[in-house]
PDB file of all heavy atoms in Angstrom:
ATOM      1  N   HIS A   1      27.252 -53.243  39.064  1.00  0.00           N
ATOM      2  CA  HIS A   1      25.997 -53.530  38.327  1.00  0.00           C
ATOM      3  C   HIS A   1      26.227 -53.221  36.819  1.00  0.00           C
ATOM      4  O   HIS A   1      27.116 -52.479  36.486  1.00  0.00           O
ATOM      5  CB  HIS A   1      24.846 -52.798  38.861  1.00  0.00           C
ATOM      6  CG  HIS A   1      24.610 -52.978  40.355  1.00  0.00           C
ATOM      7  ND1 HIS A   1      25.389 -52.431  41.307  1.00  0.00           N
ATOM      8  CD2 HIS A   1      23.630 -53.670  40.906  1.00  0.00           C
ATOM      9  CE1 HIS A   1      24.942 -52.798  42.454  1.00  0.00           C
ATOM     10  NE2 HIS A   1      23.845 -53.571  42.351  1.00  0.00           N
ATOM     11  N   GLY A   2      25.462 -53.938  36.007  1.00  0.00           N
ATOM     12  CA  GLY A   2      25.610 -53.870  34.598  1.00  0.00           C
ATOM     13  C   GLY A   2      25.577 -52.472  33.983  1.00  0.00           C
ATOM     14  O   GLY A   2      24.561 -51.831  34.069  1.00  0.00           O
ATOM     15  N   ALA A   3      26.657 -52.102  33.507  1.00  0.00           N
ATOM     16  CA  ALA A   3      26.634 -50.755  32.701  1.00  0.00           C
ATOM     17  C   ALA A   3      26.852 -51.062  31.300  1.00  0.00           C
ATOM     18  O   ALA A   3      27.283 -52.157  30.834  1.00  0.00           O
ATOM     19  CB  ALA A   3      27.850 -49.841  33.205  1.00  0.00           C
ATOM     20  N   LEU A   4      26.386 -50.117  30.387  1.00  0.00           N
ATOM     21  CA  LEU A   4      26.387 -50.430  28.922  1.00  0.00           C
ATOM     22  C   LEU A   4      26.975 -49.238  28.225  1.00  0.00           C
ATOM     23  O   LEU A   4      26.956 -48.090  28.694  1.00  0.00           O
ATOM     24  CB  LEU A   4      24.982 -50.598  28.453  1.00  0.00           C
ATOM     25  CG  LEU A   4      24.084 -51.743  29.064  1.00  0.00           C
ATOM     26  CD1 LEU A   4      22.700 -51.628  28.564  1.00  0.00           C
ATOM     27  CD2 LEU A   4      24.695 -53.090  28.688  1.00  0.00           C
ATOM     28  N   ALA A   5      27.514 -49.479  27.050  1.00  0.00           N
ATOM     29  CA  ALA A   5      27.842 -48.426  26.057  1.00  0.00           C
ATOM     30  C   ALA A   5      26.932 -48.614  24.948  1.00  0.00           C
ATOM     31  O   ALA A   5      26.770 -49.645  24.409  1.00  0.00           O
ATOM     32  CB  ALA A   5      29.285 -48.647  25.601  1.00  0.00           C
ATOM     33  N   CYS A   6      26.347 -47.488  24.525  1.00  0.00           N
ATOM     34  CA  CYS A   6      25.338 -47.526  23.456  1.00  0.00           C
ATOM     35  C   CYS A   6      25.383 -46.212  22.628  1.00  0.00           C
ATOM     36  O   CYS A   6      25.426 -45.183  23.269  1.00  0.00           O
ATOM     37  CB  CYS A   6      23.899 -47.770  23.947  1.00  0.00           C
ATOM     38  SG  CYS A   6      22.670 -47.963  22.701  1.00  0.00           S
ATOM     39  N   GLU A   7      25.424 -46.371  21.321  1.00  0.00           N
ATOM     40  CA  GLU A   7      25.394 -45.164  20.513  1.00  0.00           C
ATOM     41  C   GLU A   7      24.126 -44.338  20.752  1.00  0.00           C
ATOM     42  O   GLU A   7      23.118 -44.860  20.813  1.00  0.00           O
ATOM     43  CB  GLU A   7      25.580 -45.481  19.062  1.00  0.00           C
ATOM     44  CG  GLU A   7      26.919 -46.160  18.602  1.00  0.00           C
ATOM     45  CD  GLU A   7      27.030 -46.287  17.170  1.00  0.00           C
ATOM     46  OE1 GLU A   7      26.637 -45.327  16.403  1.00  0.00           O
ATOM     47  OE2 GLU A   7      27.460 -47.421  16.775  1.00  0.00           O
ATOM     48  N   ARG A   8      24.341 -43.046  20.888  1.00  0.00           N
ATOM     49  CA  ARG A   8      23.145 -42.142  21.188  1.00  0.00           C
ATOM     50  C   ARG A   8      22.179 -42.184  20.094  1.00  0.00           C
ATOM     51  O   ARG A   8      20.990 -42.062  20.251  1.00  0.00           O
ATOM     52  CB  ARG A   8      23.613 -40.781  21.483  1.00  0.00           C
ATOM     53  CG  ARG A   8      24.213 -40.614  22.913  1.00  0.00           C
ATOM     54  CD  ARG A   8      23.109 -40.694  24.023  1.00  0.00           C
ATOM     55  NE  ARG A   8      22.096 -39.629  23.741  1.00  0.00           N
ATOM     56  CZ  ARG A   8      22.127 -38.432  24.280  1.00  0.00           C
ATOM     57  NH1 ARG A   8      23.161 -38.059  25.052  1.00  0.00           N
ATOM     58  NH2 ARG A   8      21.146 -37.570  24.066  1.00  0.00           N
ATOM     59  N   ALA A   9      22.691 -42.364  18.826  1.00  0.00           N
ATOM     60  CA  ALA A   9      21.719 -42.376  17.736  1.00  0.00           C
ATOM     61  C   ALA A   9      20.667 -43.524  17.966  1.00  0.00           C
ATOM     62  O   ALA A   9      19.472 -43.358  17.674  1.00  0.00           O
ATOM     63  CB  ALA A   9      22.450 -42.552  16.413  1.00  0.00           C
ATOM     64  N   THR A  10      21.217 -44.645  18.391  1.00  0.00           N
ATOM     65  CA  THR A  10      20.344 -45.753  18.717  1.00  0.00           C
ATOM     66  C   THR A  10      19.513 -45.631  19.916  1.00  0.00           C
ATOM     67  O   THR A  10      18.269 -45.817  19.845  1.00  0.00           O
ATOM     68  CB  THR A  10      21.253 -47.081  18.933  1.00  0.00           C
ATOM     69  OG1 THR A  10      21.974 -47.274  17.733  1.00  0.00           O
ATOM     70  CG2 THR A  10      20.295 -48.323  19.233  1.00  0.00           C
ATOM     71  N   LEU A  11      20.039 -45.205  21.045  1.00  0.00           N
ATOM     72  CA  LEU A  11      19.358 -45.018  22.284  1.00  0.00           C
ATOM     73  C   LEU A  11      18.289 -43.998  22.176  1.00  0.00           C
ATOM     74  O   LEU A  11      17.055 -44.263  22.485  1.00  0.00           O
ATOM     75  CB  LEU A  11      20.380 -44.573  23.411  1.00  0.00           C
ATOM     76  CG  LEU A  11      19.721 -44.180  24.698  1.00  0.00           C
ATOM     77  CD1 LEU A  11      19.119 -45.434  25.397  1.00  0.00           C
ATOM     78  CD2 LEU A  11      20.659 -43.417  25.655  1.00  0.00           C
ATOM     79  N   ASP A  12      18.615 -42.838  21.587  1.00  0.00           N
ATOM     80  CA  ASP A  12      17.582 -41.780  21.468  1.00  0.00           C
ATOM     81  C   ASP A  12      16.392 -42.190  20.616  1.00  0.00           C
ATOM     82  O   ASP A  12      15.241 -41.892  20.880  1.00  0.00           O
ATOM     83  CB  ASP A  12      18.287 -40.565  20.891  1.00  0.00           C
ATOM     84  CG  ASP A  12      19.301 -39.879  21.856  1.00  0.00           C
ATOM     85  OD1 ASP A  12      19.544 -40.540  22.873  1.00  0.00           O
ATOM     86  OD2 ASP A  12      19.750 -38.773  21.573  1.00  0.00           O
ATOM     87  N   ALA A  13      16.774 -42.868  19.462  1.00  0.00           N
ATOM     88  CA  ALA A  13      15.694 -43.320  18.541  1.00  0.00           C
ATOM     89  C   ALA A  13      14.753 -44.326  19.244  1.00  0.00           C
ATOM     90  O   ALA A  13      13.526 -44.364  19.060  1.00  0.00           O
ATOM     91  CB  ALA A  13      16.293 -43.942  17.250  1.00  0.00           C
ATOM     92  N   LEU A  14      15.313 -45.201  20.116  1.00  0.00           N
ATOM     93  CA  LEU A  14      14.538 -46.263  20.770  1.00  0.00           C
ATOM     94  C   LEU A  14      13.489 -45.627  21.737  1.00  0.00           C
ATOM     95  O   LEU A  14      12.329 -45.989  21.806  1.00  0.00           O
ATOM     96  CB  LEU A  14      15.423 -47.327  21.505  1.00  0.00           C
ATOM     97  CG  LEU A  14      16.110 -48.378  20.576  1.00  0.00           C
ATOM     98  CD1 LEU A  14      17.202 -49.120  21.432  1.00  0.00           C
ATOM     99  CD2 LEU A  14      15.061 -49.264  20.009  1.00  0.00           C
ATOM    100  N   VAL A  15      14.033 -44.697  22.543  1.00  0.00           N
ATOM    101  CA  VAL A  15      13.192 -44.053  23.488  1.00  0.00           C
ATOM    102  C   VAL A  15      12.109 -43.164  22.919  1.00  0.00           C
ATOM    103  O   VAL A  15      10.943 -43.265  23.275  1.00  0.00           O
ATOM    104  CB  VAL A  15      14.022 -43.202  24.577  1.00  0.00           C
ATOM    105  CG1 VAL A  15      13.130 -42.605  25.662  1.00  0.00           C
ATOM    106  CG2 VAL A  15      15.132 -44.092  25.194  1.00  0.00           C
ATOM    107  N   LEU A  16      12.539 -42.398  21.885  1.00  0.00           N
ATOM    108  CA  LEU A  16      11.546 -41.565  21.179  1.00  0.00           C
ATOM    109  C   LEU A  16      10.488 -42.410  20.431  1.00  0.00           C
ATOM    110  O   LEU A  16       9.328 -42.118  20.458  1.00  0.00           O
ATOM    111  CB  LEU A  16      12.310 -40.602  20.156  1.00  0.00           C
ATOM    112  CG  LEU A  16      11.308 -39.576  19.507  1.00  0.00           C
ATOM    113  CD1 LEU A  16      10.665 -38.687  20.461  1.00  0.00           C
ATOM    114  CD2 LEU A  16      12.137 -38.826  18.577  1.00  0.00           C
ATOM    115  N   GLY A  17      10.992 -43.444  19.854  1.00  0.00           N
ATOM    116  CA  GLY A  17      10.121 -44.381  19.175  1.00  0.00           C
ATOM    117  C   GLY A  17       9.039 -45.008  20.046  1.00  0.00           C
ATOM    118  O   GLY A  17       7.826 -45.174  19.666  1.00  0.00           O
ATOM    119  N   ALA A  18       9.486 -45.318  21.287  1.00  0.00           N
ATOM    120  CA  ALA A  18       8.556 -45.936  22.238  1.00  0.00           C
ATOM    121  C   ALA A  18       7.493 -44.843  22.628  1.00  0.00           C
ATOM    122  O   ALA A  18       6.294 -45.213  22.845  1.00  0.00           O
ATOM    123  CB  ALA A  18       9.223 -46.328  23.499  1.00  0.00           C
ATOM    124  N   ALA A  19       7.925 -43.572  22.706  1.00  0.00           N
ATOM    125  CA  ALA A  19       7.005 -42.522  23.084  1.00  0.00           C
ATOM    126  C   ALA A  19       5.918 -42.353  22.025  1.00  0.00           C
ATOM    127  O   ALA A  19       4.754 -42.195  22.311  1.00  0.00           O
ATOM    128  CB  ALA A  19       7.763 -41.244  23.352  1.00  0.00           C
ATOM    129  N   VAL A  20       6.343 -42.333  20.765  1.00  0.00           N
ATOM    130  CA  VAL A  20       5.390 -42.080  19.613  1.00  0.00           C
ATOM    131  C   VAL A  20       4.512 -43.343  19.626  1.00  0.00           C
ATOM    132  O   VAL A  20       3.257 -43.200  19.375  1.00  0.00           O
ATOM    133  CB  VAL A  20       6.204 -41.968  18.344  1.00  0.00           C
ATOM    134  CG1 VAL A  20       5.175 -42.039  17.096  1.00  0.00           C
ATOM    135  CG2 VAL A  20       6.906 -40.648  18.321  1.00  0.00           C
ATOM    136  N   ALA A  21       5.041 -44.549  19.829  1.00  0.00           N
ATOM    137  CA  ALA A  21       4.120 -45.697  19.826  1.00  0.00           C
ATOM    138  C   ALA A  21       3.072 -45.677  21.027  1.00  0.00           C
ATOM    139  O   ALA A  21       2.008 -46.209  20.839  1.00  0.00           O
ATOM    140  CB  ALA A  21       4.998 -46.968  20.001  1.00  0.00           C
ATOM    141  N   ALA A  22       3.447 -44.935  22.006  1.00  0.00           N
ATOM    142  CA  ALA A  22       2.431 -44.840  23.186  1.00  0.00           C
ATOM    143  C   ALA A  22       1.406 -43.767  22.957  1.00  0.00           C
ATOM    144  O   ALA A  22       0.572 -43.519  23.839  1.00  0.00           O
ATOM    145  CB  ALA A  22       3.236 -44.535  24.420  1.00  0.00           C
ATOM    146  N   GLY A  23       1.557 -43.042  21.871  1.00  0.00           N
ATOM    147  CA  GLY A  23       0.565 -42.001  21.494  1.00  0.00           C
ATOM    148  C   GLY A  23       1.032 -40.555  21.534  1.00  0.00           C
ATOM    149  O   GLY A  23       0.223 -39.625  21.309  1.00  0.00           O
ATOM    150  N   VAL A  24       2.335 -40.376  21.798  1.00  0.00           N
ATOM    151  CA  VAL A  24       2.825 -38.915  21.848  1.00  0.00           C
ATOM    152  C   VAL A  24       2.816 -38.403  20.384  1.00  0.00           C
ATOM    153  O   VAL A  24       3.320 -39.109  19.439  1.00  0.00           O
ATOM    154  CB  VAL A  24       4.336 -38.954  22.395  1.00  0.00           C
ATOM    155  CG1 VAL A  24       4.896 -37.605  22.238  1.00  0.00           C
ATOM    156  CG2 VAL A  24       4.282 -39.419  23.856  1.00  0.00           C
ATOM    157  N   THR A  25       2.425 -37.237  20.227  1.00  0.00           N
ATOM    158  CA  THR A  25       2.504 -36.565  18.981  1.00  0.00           C
ATOM    159  C   THR A  25       3.829 -35.859  18.761  1.00  0.00           C
ATOM    160  O   THR A  25       4.190 -35.028  19.602  1.00  0.00           O
ATOM    161  CB  THR A  25       1.381 -35.488  18.804  1.00  0.00           C
ATOM    162  OG1 THR A  25       0.169 -36.082  18.876  1.00  0.00           O
ATOM    163  CG2 THR A  25       1.394 -34.769  17.460  1.00  0.00           C
ATOM    164  N   LEU A  26       4.592 -36.267  17.733  1.00  0.00           N
ATOM    165  CA  LEU A  26       5.887 -35.659  17.489  1.00  0.00           C
ATOM    166  C   LEU A  26       5.790 -34.628  16.447  1.00  0.00           C
ATOM    167  O   LEU A  26       5.276 -34.771  15.411  1.00  0.00           O
ATOM    168  CB  LEU A  26       6.855 -36.790  17.039  1.00  0.00           C
ATOM    169  CG  LEU A  26       8.309 -36.343  16.604  1.00  0.00           C
ATOM    170  CD1 LEU A  26       9.030 -35.785  17.760  1.00  0.00           C
ATOM    171  CD2 LEU A  26       9.048 -37.539  16.005  1.00  0.00           C
ATOM    172  N   VAL A  27       6.420 -33.357  16.760  1.00  0.00           N
ATOM    173  CA  VAL A  27       6.291 -32.315  15.790  1.00  0.00           C
ATOM    174  C   VAL A  27       7.679 -31.898  15.628  1.00  0.00           C
ATOM    175  O   VAL A  27       8.509 -31.574  16.560  1.00  0.00           O
ATOM    176  CB  VAL A  27       5.443 -31.104  16.397  1.00  0.00           C
ATOM    177  CG1 VAL A  27       5.601 -29.814  15.520  1.00  0.00           C
ATOM    178  CG2 VAL A  27       4.058 -31.506  16.640  1.00  0.00           C
ATOM    179  N   ARG A  28       8.115 -31.631  14.399  1.00  0.00           N
ATOM    180  CA  ARG A  28       9.416 -31.163  13.933  1.00  0.00           C
ATOM    181  C   ARG A  28       9.478 -29.605  14.058  1.00  0.00           C
ATOM    182  O   ARG A  28       8.608 -29.009  13.404  1.00  0.00           O
ATOM    183  CB  ARG A  28       9.788 -31.655  12.572  1.00  0.00           C
ATOM    184  CG  ARG A  28      10.287 -33.023  12.510  1.00  0.00           C
ATOM    185  CD  ARG A  28      11.682 -33.275  12.920  1.00  0.00           C
ATOM    186  NE  ARG A  28      12.616 -32.351  12.201  1.00  0.00           N
ATOM    187  CZ  ARG A  28      13.143 -32.600  10.977  1.00  0.00           C
ATOM    188  NH1 ARG A  28      12.731 -33.671  10.300  1.00  0.00           N
ATOM    189  NH2 ARG A  28      13.981 -31.766  10.452  1.00  0.00           N
ATOM    190  N   GLY A  29      10.424 -29.079  14.771  1.00  0.00           N
ATOM    191  CA  GLY A  29      10.487 -27.647  14.840  1.00  0.00           C
ATOM    192  C   GLY A  29      11.506 -27.255  15.969  1.00  0.00           C
ATOM    193  O   GLY A  29      11.894 -28.000  16.623  1.00  0.00           O
ATOM    194  N   ARG A  30      11.828 -25.920  15.913  1.00  0.00           N
ATOM    195  CA  ARG A  30      12.750 -25.453  16.920  1.00  0.00           C
ATOM    196  C   ARG A  30      11.969 -24.638  17.872  1.00  0.00           C
ATOM    197  O   ARG A  30      11.238 -23.623  17.529  1.00  0.00           O
ATOM    198  CB  ARG A  30      13.827 -24.556  16.225  1.00  0.00           C
ATOM    199  CG  ARG A  30      14.898 -24.114  17.129  1.00  0.00           C
ATOM    200  CD  ARG A  30      15.920 -23.265  16.435  1.00  0.00           C
ATOM    201  NE  ARG A  30      15.541 -22.031  15.923  1.00  0.00           N
ATOM    202  CZ  ARG A  30      15.361 -21.783  14.757  1.00  0.00           C
ATOM    203  NH1 ARG A  30      15.540 -22.699  13.752  1.00  0.00           N
ATOM    204  NH2 ARG A  30      15.019 -20.495  14.282  1.00  0.00           N
ATOM    205  N   VAL A  31      12.048 -24.882  19.186  1.00  0.00           N
ATOM    206  CA  VAL A  31      11.311 -24.137  20.186  1.00  0.00           C
ATOM    207  C   VAL A  31      12.001 -22.705  20.320  1.00  0.00           C
ATOM    208  O   VAL A  31      13.238 -22.621  20.460  1.00  0.00           O
ATOM    209  CB  VAL A  31      11.352 -24.868  21.553  1.00  0.00           C
ATOM    210  CG1 VAL A  31      10.828 -23.942  22.652  1.00  0.00           C
ATOM    211  CG2 VAL A  31      10.568 -26.128  21.484  1.00  0.00           C
ATOM    212  N   GLU A  32      11.173 -21.691  20.204  1.00  0.00           N
ATOM    213  CA  GLU A  32      11.673 -20.311  20.223  1.00  0.00           C
ATOM    214  C   GLU A  32      11.317 -19.581  21.524  1.00  0.00           C
ATOM    215  O   GLU A  32      11.909 -18.553  21.829  1.00  0.00           O
ATOM    216  CB  GLU A  32      11.270 -19.533  18.943  1.00  0.00           C
ATOM    217  CG  GLU A  32      11.891 -20.138  17.734  1.00  0.00           C
ATOM    218  CD  GLU A  32      12.041 -19.050  16.597  1.00  0.00           C
ATOM    219  OE1 GLU A  32      11.198 -18.136  16.588  1.00  0.00           O
ATOM    220  OE2 GLU A  32      12.906 -19.232  15.771  1.00  0.00           O
ATOM    221  N   ASP A  33      10.157 -19.990  22.118  1.00  0.00           N
ATOM    222  CA  ASP A  33       9.658 -19.283  23.258  1.00  0.00           C
ATOM    223  C   ASP A  33       8.632 -20.154  23.908  1.00  0.00           C
ATOM    224  O   ASP A  33       8.173 -21.117  23.378  1.00  0.00           O
ATOM    225  CB  ASP A  33       8.943 -17.914  22.756  1.00  0.00           C
ATOM    226  CG  ASP A  33       9.008 -16.768  23.881  1.00  0.00           C
ATOM    227  OD1 ASP A  33       9.372 -17.129  25.020  1.00  0.00           O
ATOM    228  OD2 ASP A  33       8.776 -15.680  23.464  1.00  0.00           O
ATOM    229  N   VAL A  34       8.311 -19.591  25.183  1.00  0.00           N
ATOM    230  CA  VAL A  34       7.143 -20.170  25.897  1.00  0.00           C
ATOM    231  C   VAL A  34       5.956 -19.312  25.694  1.00  0.00           C
ATOM    232  O   VAL A  34       6.037 -18.156  25.567  1.00  0.00           O
ATOM    233  CB  VAL A  34       7.533 -20.367  27.352  1.00  0.00           C
ATOM    234  CG1 VAL A  34       8.679 -21.363  27.482  1.00  0.00           C
ATOM    235  CG2 VAL A  34       7.770 -19.100  28.041  1.00  0.00           C
ATOM    236  N   LEU A  35       4.786 -19.872  25.824  1.00  0.00           N
ATOM    237  CA  LEU A  35       3.539 -19.191  25.892  1.00  0.00           C
ATOM    238  C   LEU A  35       3.171 -18.885  27.345  1.00  0.00           C
ATOM    239  O   LEU A  35       3.532 -19.675  28.187  1.00  0.00           O
ATOM    240  CB  LEU A  35       2.411 -19.935  25.256  1.00  0.00           C
ATOM    241  CG  LEU A  35       2.592 -20.488  23.736  1.00  0.00           C
ATOM    242  CD1 LEU A  35       1.329 -21.256  23.302  1.00  0.00           C
ATOM    243  CD2 LEU A  35       2.915 -19.382  22.816  1.00  0.00           C
ATOM    244  N   ARG A  36       2.478 -17.716  27.511  1.00  0.00           N
ATOM    245  CA  ARG A  36       2.203 -17.334  28.794  1.00  0.00           C
ATOM    246  C   ARG A  36       0.762 -17.031  28.947  1.00  0.00           C
ATOM    247  O   ARG A  36       0.133 -16.525  27.959  1.00  0.00           O
ATOM    248  CB  ARG A  36       3.076 -16.142  29.331  1.00  0.00           C
ATOM    249  CG  ARG A  36       4.466 -16.449  29.543  1.00  0.00           C
ATOM    250  CD  ARG A  36       5.196 -15.280  30.192  1.00  0.00           C
ATOM    251  NE  ARG A  36       6.663 -15.719  30.483  1.00  0.00           N
ATOM    252  CZ  ARG A  36       7.042 -16.312  31.557  1.00  0.00           C
ATOM    253  NH1 ARG A  36       6.112 -16.663  32.533  1.00  0.00           N
ATOM    254  NH2 ARG A  36       8.220 -16.608  31.738  1.00  0.00           N
ATOM    255  N   GLU A  37       0.109 -17.342  30.085  1.00  0.00           N
ATOM    256  CA  GLU A  37      -1.219 -17.028  30.339  1.00  0.00           C
ATOM    257  C   GLU A  37      -1.460 -16.803  31.891  1.00  0.00           C
ATOM    258  O   GLU A  37      -1.197 -17.699  32.669  1.00  0.00           O
ATOM    259  CB  GLU A  37      -2.055 -18.108  29.877  1.00  0.00           C
ATOM    260  CG  GLU A  37      -3.620 -17.929  30.027  1.00  0.00           C
ATOM    261  CD  GLU A  37      -4.447 -19.046  29.369  1.00  0.00           C
ATOM    262  OE1 GLU A  37      -4.363 -19.283  28.245  1.00  0.00           O
ATOM    263  OE2 GLU A  37      -5.167 -19.726  30.304  1.00  0.00           O
ATOM    264  N   GLY A  38      -1.811 -15.633  32.268  1.00  0.00           N
ATOM    265  CA  GLY A  38      -2.084 -15.335  33.634  1.00  0.00           C
ATOM    266  C   GLY A  38      -0.895 -15.550  34.564  1.00  0.00           C
ATOM    267  O   GLY A  38      -0.958 -16.078  35.623  1.00  0.00           O
ATOM    268  N   GLY A  39       0.323 -15.209  34.087  1.00  0.00           N
ATOM    269  CA  GLY A  39       1.524 -15.315  34.938  1.00  0.00           C
ATOM    270  C   GLY A  39       2.104 -16.699  34.944  1.00  0.00           C
ATOM    271  O   GLY A  39       3.067 -16.888  35.770  1.00  0.00           O
ATOM    272  N   ARG A  40       1.693 -17.648  34.100  1.00  0.00           N
ATOM    273  CA  ARG A  40       2.230 -18.992  34.107  1.00  0.00           C
ATOM    274  C   ARG A  40       2.618 -19.377  32.703  1.00  0.00           C
ATOM    275  O   ARG A  40       1.950 -18.826  31.681  1.00  0.00           O
ATOM    276  CB  ARG A  40       1.304 -20.025  34.819  1.00  0.00           C
ATOM    277  CG  ARG A  40       0.047 -20.270  34.078  1.00  0.00           C
ATOM    278  CD  ARG A  40      -0.968 -21.001  34.818  1.00  0.00           C
ATOM    279  NE  ARG A  40      -0.429 -22.262  35.330  1.00  0.00           N
ATOM    280  CZ  ARG A  40      -0.522 -23.395  34.652  1.00  0.00           C
ATOM    281  NH1 ARG A  40      -1.009 -23.357  33.410  1.00  0.00           N
ATOM    282  NH2 ARG A  40      -0.021 -24.443  35.093  1.00  0.00           N
ATOM    283  N   VAL A  41       3.460 -20.300  32.576  1.00  0.00           N
ATOM    284  CA  VAL A  41       3.814 -20.849  31.267  1.00  0.00           C
ATOM    285  C   VAL A  41       2.677 -21.746  30.775  1.00  0.00           C
ATOM    286  O   VAL A  41       2.151 -22.679  31.604  1.00  0.00           O
ATOM    287  CB  VAL A  41       5.095 -21.682  31.376  1.00  0.00           C
ATOM    288  CG1 VAL A  41       5.378 -22.458  30.018  1.00  0.00           C
ATOM    289  CG2 VAL A  41       6.284 -20.835  31.649  1.00  0.00           C
ATOM    290  N   ALA A  42       2.248 -21.633  29.537  1.00  0.00           N
ATOM    291  CA  ALA A  42       1.032 -22.228  29.089  1.00  0.00           C
ATOM    292  C   ALA A  42       1.321 -22.926  27.681  1.00  0.00           C
ATOM    293  O   ALA A  42       0.385 -22.919  26.841  1.00  0.00           O
ATOM    294  CB  ALA A  42      -0.125 -21.278  29.007  1.00  0.00           C
ATOM    295  N   GLY A  43       2.554 -23.423  27.457  1.00  0.00           N
ATOM    296  CA  GLY A  43       2.827 -24.094  26.171  1.00  0.00           C
ATOM    297  C   GLY A  43       4.003 -23.556  25.538  1.00  0.00           C
ATOM    298  O   GLY A  43       4.789 -22.769  26.134  1.00  0.00           O
TER     299      GLY A  43
END
């Protein structure tokens, strides 16, 4: 079946761009920890 070679710079930008176009809010930053609330991860 059809396999492809595609530069990741292109692939990643296409998928992320589609997510933003669909309404996803993109925030630049480095994740450092998870938030917790009542014994569960909450952000």
Side-chain angles (χ1 to χ4, degrees):
H1 300 77
L4 301 172
C6 183
E7 293 186 43
R8 282 290 301 273
T10 300
L11 174 69
D12 293 7
L14 283 170
V15 183
L16 184 60
V20 171
V24 172
T25 299
L26 176 61
V27 175
R28 282 282 304 280
R30 184 177 70 250
V31 172
E32 293 206 334
D33 207 345
V34 298
L35 305 179
R36 292 187 175 275
E37 183 177 295
R40 67 193 302 277
V41 173

